mmCIF file of all heavy atoms in Angstrom:
data_model
loop_
_atom_site.group_PDB
_atom_site.id
_atom_site.type_symbol
_atom_site.label_atom_id
_atom_site.label_comp_id
_atom_site.label_asym_id
_atom_site.label_seq_id
_atom_site.Cartn_x
_atom_site.Cartn_y
_atom_site.Cartn_z
ATOM 1 N N GLY Z 2 80.963 126.907 -114.528
ATOM 2 C CA GLY Z 2 80.892 126.241 -115.821
ATOM 3 C C GLY Z 2 82.230 125.949 -116.458
ATOM 4 O O GLY Z 2 82.295 125.528 -117.626
ATOM 5 N N GLU Z 3 83.315 126.150 -115.722
ATOM 6 C CA GLU Z 3 84.655 125.952 -116.272
ATOM 7 C C GLU Z 3 85.224 124.611 -115.826
ATOM 8 O O GLU Z 3 84.796 124.036 -114.823
ATOM 9 C CB GLU Z 3 85.583 127.082 -115.814
ATOM 10 C CG GLU Z 3 85.157 128.462 -116.300
ATOM 11 C CD GLU Z 3 86.072 129.560 -115.782
ATOM 12 O OE1 GLU Z 3 87.005 129.232 -114.994
ATOM 13 O OE2 GLU Z 3 85.852 130.720 -116.130
ATOM 14 N N LEU Z 4 86.204 124.133 -116.589
ATOM 15 C CA LEU Z 4 86.893 122.916 -116.186
ATOM 16 C C LEU Z 4 87.653 123.171 -114.891
ATOM 17 O O LEU Z 4 88.234 124.244 -114.696
ATOM 18 C CB LEU Z 4 87.877 122.463 -117.268
ATOM 19 C CG LEU Z 4 87.290 121.961 -118.585
ATOM 20 C CD1 LEU Z 4 88.417 121.577 -119.548
ATOM 21 C CD2 LEU Z 4 86.369 120.764 -118.362
ATOM 22 N N VAL Z 5 87.622 122.195 -113.988
ATOM 23 C CA VAL Z 5 88.391 122.306 -112.750
ATOM 24 C C VAL Z 5 89.866 122.322 -113.099
ATOM 25 O O VAL Z 5 90.353 121.458 -113.827
ATOM 26 C CB VAL Z 5 88.076 121.134 -111.801
ATOM 27 C CG1 VAL Z 5 88.958 121.193 -110.559
ATOM 28 C CG2 VAL Z 5 86.603 121.161 -111.409
ATOM 29 N N HIS Z 6 90.560 123.314 -112.601
ATOM 30 C CA HIS Z 6 91.948 123.529 -113.009
ATOM 31 C C HIS Z 6 92.864 122.405 -112.562
ATOM 32 O O HIS Z 6 92.840 121.973 -111.416
ATOM 33 C CB HIS Z 6 92.481 124.848 -112.437
ATOM 34 C CG HIS Z 6 93.934 125.091 -112.711
ATOM 35 N ND1 HIS Z 6 94.400 125.399 -113.967
ATOM 36 C CD2 HIS Z 6 95.019 125.034 -111.907
ATOM 37 C CE1 HIS Z 6 95.719 125.557 -113.920
ATOM 38 N NE2 HIS Z 6 96.118 125.334 -112.677
ATOM 39 N N ARG Z 7 93.653 121.923 -113.497
ATOM 40 C CA ARG Z 7 94.765 121.030 -113.235
ATOM 41 C C ARG Z 7 95.848 121.364 -114.239
ATOM 42 O O ARG Z 7 95.549 121.755 -115.369
ATOM 43 C CB ARG Z 7 94.379 119.556 -113.379
ATOM 44 C CG ARG Z 7 93.672 118.952 -112.161
ATOM 45 C CD ARG Z 7 94.595 118.896 -110.960
ATOM 46 N NE ARG Z 7 93.998 118.227 -109.822
ATOM 47 C CZ ARG Z 7 93.251 118.823 -108.913
ATOM 48 N NH1 ARG Z 7 92.983 120.106 -109.025
ATOM 49 N NH2 ARG Z 7 92.757 118.160 -107.897
ATOM 50 N N PRO Z 8 97.130 121.237 -113.871
ATOM 51 C CA PRO Z 8 98.196 121.508 -114.827
ATOM 52 C C PRO Z 8 98.078 120.611 -116.051
ATOM 53 O O PRO Z 8 97.453 119.548 -115.998
ATOM 54 C CB PRO Z 8 99.468 121.182 -114.028
ATOM 55 C CG PRO Z 8 99.053 121.237 -112.599
ATOM 56 C CD PRO Z 8 97.628 120.802 -112.567
ATOM 57 N N SER Z 9 98.668 121.039 -117.163
ATOM 58 C CA SER Z 9 98.662 120.207 -118.355
ATOM 59 C C SER Z 9 99.399 118.904 -118.059
ATOM 60 O O SER Z 9 100.271 118.850 -117.193
ATOM 61 C CB SER Z 9 99.337 120.928 -119.519
ATOM 62 O OG SER Z 9 100.677 121.263 -119.193
ATOM 63 N N GLY Z 10 99.030 117.858 -118.776
ATOM 64 C CA GLY Z 10 99.629 116.558 -118.522
ATOM 65 C C GLY Z 10 98.703 115.704 -117.672
ATOM 66 O O GLY Z 10 97.590 116.096 -117.345
ATOM 67 N N PRO Z 11 99.172 114.549 -117.272
ATOM 68 C CA PRO Z 11 98.309 113.584 -116.567
ATOM 69 C C PRO Z 11 98.191 113.836 -115.069
ATOM 70 O O PRO Z 11 98.495 112.976 -114.248
ATOM 71 C CB PRO Z 11 99.006 112.254 -116.859
ATOM 72 C CG PRO Z 11 100.456 112.619 -116.950
ATOM 73 C CD PRO Z 11 100.491 113.986 -117.589
ATOM 74 N N ALA Z 12 97.784 115.065 -114.686
ATOM 75 C CA ALA Z 12 97.607 115.368 -113.258
ATOM 76 C C ALA Z 12 96.342 114.699 -112.746
ATOM 77 O O ALA Z 12 95.329 114.656 -113.433
ATOM 78 C CB ALA Z 12 97.555 116.873 -113.043
ATOM 79 N N LEU Z 13 96.407 114.193 -111.538
ATOM 80 C CA LEU Z 13 95.301 113.425 -110.972
ATOM 81 C C LEU Z 13 94.248 114.330 -110.348
ATOM 82 O O LEU Z 13 94.564 115.253 -109.614
ATOM 83 C CB LEU Z 13 95.853 112.466 -109.911
ATOM 84 C CG LEU Z 13 94.834 111.631 -109.118
ATOM 85 C CD1 LEU Z 13 94.036 110.731 -110.039
ATOM 86 C CD2 LEU Z 13 95.545 110.817 -108.042
ATOM 87 N N HIS Z 14 92.965 114.058 -110.646
ATOM 88 C CA HIS Z 14 91.843 114.685 -109.966
ATOM 89 C C HIS Z 14 91.459 113.785 -108.796
ATOM 90 O O HIS Z 14 90.872 112.727 -108.982
ATOM 91 C CB HIS Z 14 90.643 114.814 -110.906
ATOM 92 C CG HIS Z 14 90.659 116.025 -111.771
ATOM 93 N ND1 HIS Z 14 90.679 117.306 -111.262
ATOM 94 C CD2 HIS Z 14 90.652 116.166 -113.119
ATOM 95 C CE1 HIS Z 14 90.671 118.177 -112.249
ATOM 96 N NE2 HIS Z 14 90.665 117.512 -113.386
ATOM 97 N N GLY Z 15 91.771 114.192 -107.578
ATOM 98 C CA GLY Z 15 91.442 113.365 -106.420
ATOM 99 C C GLY Z 15 89.954 113.178 -106.215
ATOM 100 O O GLY Z 15 89.530 112.201 -105.605
ATOM 101 N N ALA Z 16 89.141 114.103 -106.740
ATOM 102 C CA ALA Z 16 87.701 114.029 -106.532
ATOM 103 C C ALA Z 16 87.029 112.950 -107.362
ATOM 104 O O ALA Z 16 85.899 112.553 -107.061
ATOM 105 C CB ALA Z 16 87.056 115.381 -106.847
ATOM 106 N N THR Z 17 87.704 112.455 -108.397
ATOM 107 C CA THR Z 17 87.145 111.412 -109.261
ATOM 108 C C THR Z 17 88.290 110.655 -109.929
ATOM 109 O O THR Z 17 88.940 111.192 -110.828
ATOM 110 C CB THR Z 17 86.241 112.011 -110.363
ATOM 111 O OG1 THR Z 17 85.237 112.838 -109.773
ATOM 112 C CG2 THR Z 17 85.569 110.915 -111.179
ATOM 113 N N PHE Z 18 88.547 109.425 -109.479
ATOM 114 C CA PHE Z 18 89.560 108.619 -110.158
ATOM 115 C C PHE Z 18 89.314 107.136 -109.919
ATOM 116 O O PHE Z 18 88.602 106.744 -108.994
ATOM 117 C CB PHE Z 18 90.982 109.019 -109.733
ATOM 118 C CG PHE Z 18 91.364 108.699 -108.314
ATOM 119 C CD1 PHE Z 18 92.055 107.534 -108.004
ATOM 120 C CD2 PHE Z 18 91.060 109.575 -107.288
ATOM 121 C CE1 PHE Z 18 92.435 107.244 -106.701
ATOM 122 C CE2 PHE Z 18 91.433 109.299 -105.970
ATOM 123 C CZ PHE Z 18 92.124 108.130 -105.679
ATOM 124 N N VAL Z 19 89.902 106.316 -110.789
ATOM 125 C CA VAL Z 19 89.727 104.870 -110.761
ATOM 126 C C VAL Z 19 91.094 104.206 -110.624
ATOM 127 O O VAL Z 19 92.067 104.634 -111.264
ATOM 128 C CB VAL Z 19 89.041 104.355 -112.051
ATOM 129 C CG1 VAL Z 19 88.677 102.877 -111.917
ATOM 130 C CG2 VAL Z 19 87.814 105.181 -112.388
ATOM 131 N N ILE Z 20 91.162 103.158 -109.813
ATOM 132 C CA ILE Z 20 92.423 102.462 -109.587
ATOM 133 C C ILE Z 20 92.123 101.030 -109.146
ATOM 134 O O ILE Z 20 91.127 100.773 -108.465
ATOM 135 C CB ILE Z 20 93.260 103.209 -108.506
ATOM 136 C CG1 ILE Z 20 94.641 102.583 -108.327
ATOM 137 C CG2 ILE Z 20 92.502 103.268 -107.176
ATOM 138 C CD1 ILE Z 20 95.562 103.416 -107.415
ATOM 139 N N HIS Z 21 92.957 100.075 -109.561
ATOM 140 C CA HIS Z 21 92.826 98.714 -109.048
ATOM 141 C C HIS Z 21 93.190 98.715 -107.556
ATOM 142 O O HIS Z 21 94.125 99.407 -107.135
ATOM 143 C CB HIS Z 21 93.760 97.752 -109.787
ATOM 144 C CG HIS Z 21 93.275 97.377 -111.150
ATOM 145 N ND1 HIS Z 21 93.810 97.920 -112.297
ATOM 146 C CD2 HIS Z 21 92.311 96.511 -111.552
ATOM 147 C CE1 HIS Z 21 93.190 97.398 -113.353
ATOM 148 N NE2 HIS Z 21 92.270 96.560 -112.923
ATOM 149 N N LYS Z 22 92.488 97.937 -106.776
ATOM 150 C CA LYS Z 22 92.788 97.904 -105.341
ATOM 151 C C LYS Z 22 94.201 97.381 -105.094
ATOM 152 O O LYS Z 22 94.889 97.855 -104.190
ATOM 153 C CB LYS Z 22 91.772 97.059 -104.583
ATOM 154 C CG LYS Z 22 92.065 97.053 -103.080
ATOM 155 C CD LYS Z 22 90.905 96.668 -102.213
ATOM 156 C CE LYS Z 22 91.280 96.835 -100.743
ATOM 157 N NZ LYS Z 22 90.178 96.523 -99.827
ATOM 158 N N LYS Z 23 94.659 96.431 -105.893
ATOM 159 C CA LYS Z 23 96.014 95.914 -105.684
ATOM 160 C C LYS Z 23 97.052 97.008 -105.927
ATOM 161 O O LYS Z 23 98.081 97.069 -105.234
ATOM 162 C CB LYS Z 23 96.269 94.704 -106.578
ATOM 163 C CG LYS Z 23 96.211 94.966 -108.072
ATOM 164 C CD LYS Z 23 96.448 93.692 -108.861
ATOM 165 C CE LYS Z 23 96.399 93.946 -110.366
ATOM 166 N NZ LYS Z 23 96.609 92.703 -111.152
ATOM 167 N N THR Z 24 96.773 97.892 -106.890
ATOM 168 C CA THR Z 24 97.680 99.014 -107.140
ATOM 169 C C THR Z 24 97.630 99.999 -105.984
ATOM 170 O O THR Z 24 98.670 100.489 -105.523
ATOM 171 C CB THR Z 24 97.308 99.722 -108.455
ATOM 172 O OG1 THR Z 24 97.272 98.773 -109.522
ATOM 173 C CG2 THR Z 24 98.301 100.818 -108.784
ATOM 174 N N TRP Z 25 96.417 100.294 -105.529
ATOM 175 C CA TRP Z 25 96.228 101.179 -104.373
ATOM 176 C C TRP Z 25 97.001 100.660 -103.164
ATOM 177 O O TRP Z 25 97.695 101.415 -102.480
ATOM 178 C CB TRP Z 25 94.743 101.278 -104.067
ATOM 179 C CG TRP Z 25 94.348 102.023 -102.841
ATOM 180 C CD1 TRP Z 25 94.012 101.480 -101.630
ATOM 181 C CD2 TRP Z 25 94.219 103.441 -102.692
ATOM 182 N NE1 TRP Z 25 93.675 102.469 -100.741
ATOM 183 C CE2 TRP Z 25 93.791 103.687 -101.366
ATOM 184 C CE3 TRP Z 25 94.409 104.525 -103.553
ATOM 185 C CZ2 TRP Z 25 93.559 104.973 -100.878
ATOM 186 C CZ3 TRP Z 25 94.180 105.811 -103.072
ATOM 187 C CH2 TRP Z 25 93.772 106.016 -101.755
ATOM 188 N N ASN Z 26 96.902 99.373 -102.915
ATOM 189 C CA ASN Z 26 97.595 98.784 -101.768
ATOM 190 C C ASN Z 26 99.107 98.829 -101.941
ATOM 191 O O ASN Z 26 99.845 99.085 -100.981
ATOM 192 C CB ASN Z 26 97.129 97.344 -101.556
ATOM 193 C CG ASN Z 26 95.710 97.260 -101.018
ATOM 194 O OD1 ASN Z 26 95.201 98.213 -100.440
ATOM 195 N ND2 ASN Z 26 95.071 96.118 -101.205
ATOM 196 N N ARG Z 27 99.580 98.553 -103.146
ATOM 197 C CA ARG Z 27 101.025 98.582 -103.390
ATOM 198 C C ARG Z 27 101.600 99.983 -103.183
ATOM 199 O O ARG Z 27 102.738 100.131 -102.721
ATOM 200 C CB ARG Z 27 101.320 98.102 -104.812
ATOM 201 C CG ARG Z 27 101.142 96.600 -105.023
ATOM 202 C CD ARG Z 27 101.239 96.254 -106.492
ATOM 203 N NE ARG Z 27 100.965 94.829 -106.734
ATOM 204 C CZ ARG Z 27 100.685 94.320 -107.928
ATOM 205 N NH1 ARG Z 27 100.643 95.117 -108.996
ATOM 206 N NH2 ARG Z 27 100.461 93.026 -108.059
ATOM 207 N N LEU Z 28 100.812 100.998 -103.533
ATOM 208 C CA LEU Z 28 101.260 102.380 -103.361
ATOM 209 C C LEU Z 28 101.071 102.864 -101.929
ATOM 210 O O LEU Z 28 101.568 103.926 -101.561
ATOM 211 C CB LEU Z 28 100.502 103.303 -104.320
ATOM 212 C CG LEU Z 28 100.794 103.108 -105.805
ATOM 213 C CD1 LEU Z 28 99.834 103.938 -106.650
ATOM 214 C CD2 LEU Z 28 102.241 103.482 -106.132
ATOM 215 N N GLY Z 29 100.347 102.081 -101.131
ATOM 216 C CA GLY Z 29 100.123 102.467 -99.738
ATOM 217 C C GLY Z 29 99.073 103.544 -99.566
ATOM 218 O O GLY Z 29 99.068 104.255 -98.548
ATOM 219 N N GLY Z 30 98.170 103.650 -100.553
ATOM 220 C CA GLY Z 30 97.129 104.670 -100.463
ATOM 221 C C GLY Z 30 97.712 106.062 -100.529
ATOM 222 O O GLY Z 30 98.752 106.302 -101.152
ATOM 223 N N MET Z 31 97.044 107.000 -99.869
ATOM 224 C CA MET Z 31 97.493 108.388 -99.866
ATOM 225 C C MET Z 31 98.279 108.709 -98.604
ATOM 226 O O MET Z 31 98.083 108.080 -97.562
ATOM 227 C CB MET Z 31 96.294 109.336 -99.989
ATOM 228 C CG MET Z 31 95.648 109.323 -101.355
ATOM 229 S SD MET Z 31 94.341 110.564 -101.517
ATOM 230 C CE MET Z 31 94.207 110.626 -103.313
ATOM 231 N N LYS Z 32 99.161 109.682 -98.704
ATOM 232 C CA LYS Z 32 99.954 110.129 -97.564
ATOM 233 C C LYS Z 32 99.108 111.067 -96.699
ATOM 234 O O LYS Z 32 98.749 112.165 -97.118
ATOM 235 C CB LYS Z 32 101.217 110.844 -98.039
ATOM 236 C CG LYS Z 32 102.160 109.971 -98.869
ATOM 237 C CD LYS Z 32 102.730 108.826 -98.053
ATOM 238 C CE LYS Z 32 103.764 108.043 -98.848
ATOM 239 N NZ LYS Z 32 104.270 106.870 -98.109
ATOM 240 N N THR Z 33 98.800 110.623 -95.492
ATOM 241 C CA THR Z 33 97.879 111.382 -94.642
ATOM 242 C C THR Z 33 98.510 112.646 -94.049
ATOM 243 O O THR Z 33 97.795 113.460 -93.468
ATOM 244 C CB THR Z 33 97.357 110.498 -93.505
ATOM 245 O OG1 THR Z 33 98.458 110.000 -92.732
ATOM 246 C CG2 THR Z 33 96.578 109.314 -94.064
ATOM 247 N N LYS Z 34 99.795 112.819 -94.216
ATOM 248 C CA LYS Z 34 100.428 114.041 -93.711
ATOM 249 C C LYS Z 34 100.062 115.247 -94.556
ATOM 250 O O LYS Z 34 100.237 116.393 -94.121
ATOM 251 C CB LYS Z 34 101.949 113.883 -93.663
ATOM 252 C CG LYS Z 34 102.611 113.712 -95.028
ATOM 253 C CD LYS Z 34 104.120 113.547 -94.891
ATOM 254 C CE LYS Z 34 104.806 113.358 -96.262
ATOM 255 N NZ LYS Z 34 106.265 113.191 -96.103
ATOM 256 N N TYR Z 35 99.548 115.002 -95.762
ATOM 257 C CA TYR Z 35 99.173 116.098 -96.640
ATOM 258 C C TYR Z 35 97.705 116.452 -96.452
ATOM 259 O O TYR Z 35 96.830 115.609 -96.622
ATOM 260 C CB TYR Z 35 99.418 115.735 -98.105
ATOM 261 C CG TYR Z 35 100.865 115.476 -98.444
ATOM 262 C CD1 TYR Z 35 101.260 114.260 -98.997
ATOM 263 C CD2 TYR Z 35 101.835 116.440 -98.209
ATOM 264 C CE1 TYR Z 35 102.590 114.018 -99.313
ATOM 265 C CE2 TYR Z 35 103.169 116.207 -98.509
ATOM 266 C CZ TYR Z 35 103.536 114.991 -99.061
ATOM 267 O OH TYR Z 35 104.848 114.751 -99.367
ATOM 268 N N THR Z 36 97.427 117.723 -96.121
ATOM 269 C CA THR Z 36 96.053 118.196 -96.030
ATOM 270 C C THR Z 36 95.558 118.716 -97.367
ATOM 271 O O THR Z 36 94.363 118.940 -97.543
ATOM 272 C CB THR Z 36 95.919 119.298 -94.970
ATOM 273 O OG1 THR Z 36 96.805 120.378 -95.308
ATOM 274 C CG2 THR Z 36 96.277 118.759 -93.596
ATOM 275 N N THR Z 37 96.437 118.919 -98.308
ATOM 276 C CA THR Z 37 96.104 119.274 -99.671
ATOM 277 C C THR Z 37 97.221 118.756 -100.569
ATOM 278 O O THR Z 37 98.352 118.544 -100.114
ATOM 279 C CB THR Z 37 95.945 120.800 -99.836
ATOM 280 O OG1 THR Z 37 95.461 121.088 -101.149
ATOM 281 C CG2 THR Z 37 97.262 121.520 -99.621
ATOM 282 N N GLY Z 38 96.900 118.510 -101.830
ATOM 283 C CA GLY Z 38 97.916 117.999 -102.740
ATOM 284 C C GLY Z 38 98.169 116.511 -102.599
ATOM 285 O O GLY Z 38 99.096 115.974 -103.219
ATOM 286 N N GLU Z 39 97.341 115.831 -101.793
ATOM 287 C CA GLU Z 39 97.542 114.389 -101.613
ATOM 288 C C GLU Z 39 97.308 113.625 -102.909
ATOM 289 O O GLU Z 39 97.893 112.561 -103.124
ATOM 290 C CB GLU Z 39 96.605 113.873 -100.507
ATOM 291 C CG GLU Z 39 95.125 113.786 -100.856
ATOM 292 C CD GLU Z 39 94.423 115.110 -100.970
ATOM 293 O OE1 GLU Z 39 94.921 116.096 -100.395
ATOM 294 O OE2 GLU Z 39 93.358 115.147 -101.623
ATOM 295 N N ASP Z 40 96.460 114.173 -103.791
ATOM 296 C CA ASP Z 40 96.214 113.523 -105.074
ATOM 297 C C ASP Z 40 97.409 113.678 -106.003
ATOM 298 O O ASP Z 40 97.784 112.732 -106.712
ATOM 299 C CB ASP Z 40 94.933 114.058 -105.732
ATOM 300 C CG ASP Z 40 94.825 115.571 -105.710
ATOM 301 O OD1 ASP Z 40 95.724 116.246 -105.166
ATOM 302 O OD2 ASP Z 40 93.815 116.092 -106.237
ATOM 303 N N TYR Z 41 98.031 114.863 -106.011
ATOM 304 C CA TYR Z 41 99.241 115.052 -106.802
ATOM 305 C C TYR Z 41 100.328 114.076 -106.365
ATOM 306 O O TYR Z 41 101.013 113.466 -107.183
ATOM 307 C CB TYR Z 41 99.769 116.486 -106.655
ATOM 308 C CG TYR Z 41 98.968 117.531 -107.372
ATOM 309 C CD1 TYR Z 41 98.000 118.269 -106.710
ATOM 310 C CD2 TYR Z 41 99.190 117.803 -108.726
ATOM 311 C CE1 TYR Z 41 97.263 119.231 -107.362
ATOM 312 C CE2 TYR Z 41 98.465 118.776 -109.390
ATOM 313 C CZ TYR Z 41 97.502 119.491 -108.705
ATOM 314 O OH TYR Z 41 96.767 120.449 -109.349
ATOM 315 N N ASP Z 42 100.496 113.957 -105.057
ATOM 316 C CA ASP Z 42 101.523 113.064 -104.519
ATOM 317 C C ASP Z 42 101.278 111.614 -104.944
ATOM 318 O O ASP Z 42 102.214 110.915 -105.349
ATOM 319 C CB ASP Z 42 101.541 113.163 -102.997
ATOM 320 C CG ASP Z 42 102.451 112.126 -102.361
ATOM 321 O OD1 ASP Z 42 103.685 112.273 -102.450
ATOM 322 O OD2 ASP Z 42 101.914 111.146 -101.800
ATOM 323 N N LEU Z 43 100.021 111.170 -104.865
ATOM 324 C CA LEU Z 43 99.711 109.800 -105.268
ATOM 325 C C LEU Z 43 100.047 109.586 -106.739
ATOM 326 O O LEU Z 43 100.634 108.557 -107.114
ATOM 327 C CB LEU Z 43 98.226 109.499 -105.027
ATOM 328 C CG LEU Z 43 97.757 108.114 -105.472
ATOM 329 C CD1 LEU Z 43 98.415 107.019 -104.636
ATOM 330 C CD2 LEU Z 43 96.230 108.005 -105.372
ATOM 331 N N GLY Z 44 99.689 110.544 -107.572
ATOM 332 C CA GLY Z 44 99.985 110.420 -108.992
ATOM 333 C C GLY Z 44 101.475 110.347 -109.271
ATOM 334 O O GLY Z 44 101.931 109.520 -110.077
ATOM 335 N N LEU Z 45 102.246 111.187 -108.595
ATOM 336 C CA LEU Z 45 103.697 111.178 -108.790
ATOM 337 C C LEU Z 45 104.311 109.860 -108.334
ATOM 338 O O LEU Z 45 105.177 109.288 -109.012
ATOM 339 C CB LEU Z 45 104.332 112.346 -108.025
ATOM 340 C CG LEU Z 45 104.078 113.740 -108.590
ATOM 341 C CD1 LEU Z 45 104.610 114.803 -107.632
ATOM 342 C CD2 LEU Z 45 104.733 113.890 -109.962
#
């Protein structure tokens, strides 16, 4: 029943997020070398 933990500030929840496809493409999607933290990396 608790909020899923994320640091204060605009940290990305990889399990639920919205993005324009053109932005997604410009960023190159997610870095597949990361098995965890790939959402943090995309946000940064």
Side-chain angles (χ1 to χ4, degrees):
E3 298 178 357
L4 292 179
V5 176
H6 175 71
R7 279 294 185 273
S9 59
L13 176 61
H14 275 300
T17 306
F18 68 96
V19 188
I20 185 172
H21 284 103
K22 181 160 186 178
K23 63 181 180 181
T24 306
W25 174 260
N26 288 339
R27 287 171 184 164
L28 293 172
M31 289 186 163
K32 299 295 185 184
T33 58
K34 65 181 179 180
Y35 297 123
T36 58
T37 187
E39 72 288 338
D40 46 359
Y41 287 96
D42 172 73
L43 177 66
L45 289 173

